[in-house]
Amino acid sequence: MDIQDIKNRFGIIGGSPLLNRAIDTARQVAPTDMSVLITGESGSGKEVFSHIIHQMSARKHGAFIAVNCGAIPEGTIDSELFGHEKGSFTGAHEARKGYFEVANGGTIFLDEVAELPLGTQARLLRVLESGEYLRVGSSKVQKTDVRIIAATNVDVYNRVKSGKFREDLYYRLNTVPLRIPALHERKEDIYLLFRKFSADFSDKYRSPGIQLEPDAIQMLSNYSWPGNVRQLKNIAEQICVLEKERNVTAQALLNYIPNESATNLPMVSGQHNKEDYTERDILYKVLFDMKKDMMDLKKLVAEIIQSGGNTSHIIADNPHYINQLYQEAELGSGMEPTLTIKKPTSNNNNPIEYNYANDAEEVEESLSLIDKESDLIKKALKKHKGKRKFAAQELGISERTLYRKIKELSLN
């Protein structure tokens, strides 16, 4: 059976090279009893490939059981997979066969296998190595002859490195890796799939057929499809039922495709040490702002010295710096600005001399990062009239971090 025959038999649409490669791998591994680990994004069609492997194997007349490991509570997953004896736990009123016993001679498809508890992983490893298992509450060894096909939408090796998945089980399951391409990797198939789905739903609901305008086809191809084939199928069904105009434009399609440039989802905190990152970020911001202010001041002082004290054109040429100095003086002290630039006068034609050692008033500036951080937060709060949401945005940190910093620095 060639690739096109498999597509026809299992209803697979598309001609992407990545898709064809995945089908060819499934076709070659199917006659063996090797374990297969199918990886791919959610909604990309991993279960379809498990059916291909089972139906093209010598076990095709045996049972095929699909188990969603992420949907079964941790306390009952062992009982579901391996069975239990009467009275082995509360509510076990009679003995029960598990999936491995029921599927003897057939195939078990373990979807979301990365969600299995570590204890269950040890039991599964024993089945893979020797075909033996124990019912919950029993000491009698049971034997089974089952082929295991596993699937996951996460990086299992990363879970191995974090200690959440057994390394030995990973290598036993991953005897043959089979990767299903995401929909955004098979752009040439998107419109074909949409036509197939829309035609099916038009027949189902007895509605006129859907036609996409060229701009709508382009939009379908450019969208990222995070929900993959499942999402595309849902949108095709919505359009067939809800859209009054049967010639769909890109503008009409926007009513069904989520806007990728905006999201109303709440911020996820605690991920990748987010709090630590924002603290580091605000300290960097303080240091960079200090450096910029020093460079601006050096530039002004150098121009004043070069001009012999004539500040009129300097103020006119640098209004941004002068205004910023006045504003920061006001914000920092809460008083009238104390920055004064005076033009030195002379009653003769002699050049003006400056005695920097005697005339300059030296002010020692605090170099404490905590003081600078506190000062920056005060400025942001004053600028936005105490509105912490906008102050946090100005500082480039989250509101949660800003609340905590205000509490730590006693800025209430």
Side-chain angles (χ1 to χ4, degrees), residues 49-244:
F49 281 79
S50 69
H51 283 286
I52 293 175
I53 295 171
H54 173 71
Q55 292 296 328
M56 297 185 66
S57 72
R59 299 174 179 268
K60 62 183 178 181
H61 299 297
F64 176 89
I65 298 179
V67 183
N68 188 330
C69 301
I72 303 175
E74 183 174 347
T76 60
I77 184 71
D78 285 352
S79 172
E80 294 291 325
L81 292 177
F82 308 108
H84 63 257
E85 297 293 343
K86 180 179 180 180
S88 57
F89 55 86
T90 303
H93 301 301
E94 58 183 16
R96 179 183 178 278
K97 292 181 179 180
Y99 297 137
F100 277 98
E101 190 171 352
V102 174
N104 188 25
T107 304
I108 286 185
F109 173 57
L110 299 177
D111 198 7
E112 297 186 35
V113 71
E115 304 301 321
L116 284 175
L118 287 172
T120 307
Q121 292 177 30
R123 288 171 171 259
L124 180 58
L125 179 63
R126 184 179 180 186
V127 174
L128 283 165
E129 290 179 340
S130 63
E132 297 178 348
Y133 67 94
L134 296 174
R135 284 186 178 183
V136 176
S138 173
S139 58
K140 181 181 178 182
V141 176
Q142 306 278 347
K143 293 284 289 184
T144 187
D145 177 22
V146 171
R147 181 182 194 173
I148 296 177
I149 302 173
T152 180
N153 59 1
V154 301
D155 189 334
V156 183
Y157 192 66
N158 281 340
R159 295 181 73 86
V160 170
K161 291 190 290 185
S162 63
K164 296 179 180 179
F165 200 85
R166 293 179 62 106
E167 186 173 11
D168 46 6
L169 177 59
Y170 168 69
Y171 288 117
R172 293 290 287 183
L173 290 173
N174 199 36
T175 305
V176 178
L178 176 58
R179 180 181 176 274
I180 312 303
L183 190 55
H184 65 81
E185 297 177 290
R186 359 172 344 211
K187 290 182 179 295
E188 62 268 41
D189 296 342
I190 294 176
Y191 181 48
L192 294 175
L193 286 164
F194 181 86
R195 287 177 56 187
K196 173 65 167 60
F197 294 147
S198 61
D200 290 345
F201 289 125
S202 295
D203 291 341
K204 178 179 178 180
Y205 299 117
R206 295 182 175 84
S207 59
I210 293 291
Q211 296 293 329
L212 293 184
E213 297 294 335
D215 56 351
I217 296 174
Q218 187 67 28
M219 180 176 290
L220 277 183
S221 299
N222 292 335
Y223 183 61
S224 66
W225 298 107
N228 290 287
V229 177
R230 185 184 295 126
Q231 182 187 10
L232 177 62
K233 186 175 182 179
N234 290 343
I235 287 178
E237 185 171 15
Q238 292 176 39
I239 293 174
C240 286
V241 173
L242 302 177
E243 191 61 36
K244 295 179 180 178

Side-chain angles (χ1 to χ4, degrees), residues 315-346:
I315 295 174
D317 294 341
N318 301 278
H320 172 72
Y321 297 146
I322 301 300
N323 291 335
Q324 183 179 359
L325 289 170
Y326 274 105
Q327 290 170 4
E328 292 185 357
E330 290 176 349
L331 291 172
S333 64
M335 301 169 60
E336 290 297 318
T338 56
L339 176 66
T340 304
I341 301 177
K342 294 183 178 179
K343 177 181 178 181
T345 58
S346 176

Side-chain angles (χ1 to χ4, degrees), residues 3 7 15-28 49 177-181:
I3 292 177
K7 289 180 181 179
S16 163
L18 291 175
L19 178 65
N20 291 341
R21 181 180 177 182
I23 295 173
D24 188 49
T25 302
R27 179 185 64 174
Q28 293 184 63
F49 281 79
L178 176 58
R179 180 181 176 274
I180 312 303

Side-chain angles (χ1 to χ4, degrees), residues 249-295:
T249 63
Q251 189 63 36
L253 197 59
L254 285 174
N255 296 323
Y256 304 95
I257 294 181
N259 184 2
E260 292 186 299
S261 62
T263 176
N264 294 321
L265 295 177
M267 181 182 293
V268 179
S269 61
Q271 191 173 13
H272 303 300
N273 296 322
K274 184 68 176 178
E275 289 299 318
D276 294 340
Y277 176 79
T278 53
E279 285 187 29
R280 197 165 60 245
D281 190 49
I282 191 173
L283 291 177
Y284 285 146
K285 183 176 176 63
V286 170
L287 292 172
F288 289 139
D289 287 347
M290 287 172 60
K291 182 177 180 180
K292 182 178 182 299
D293 290 344
M294 290 298 297
M295 294 299 294

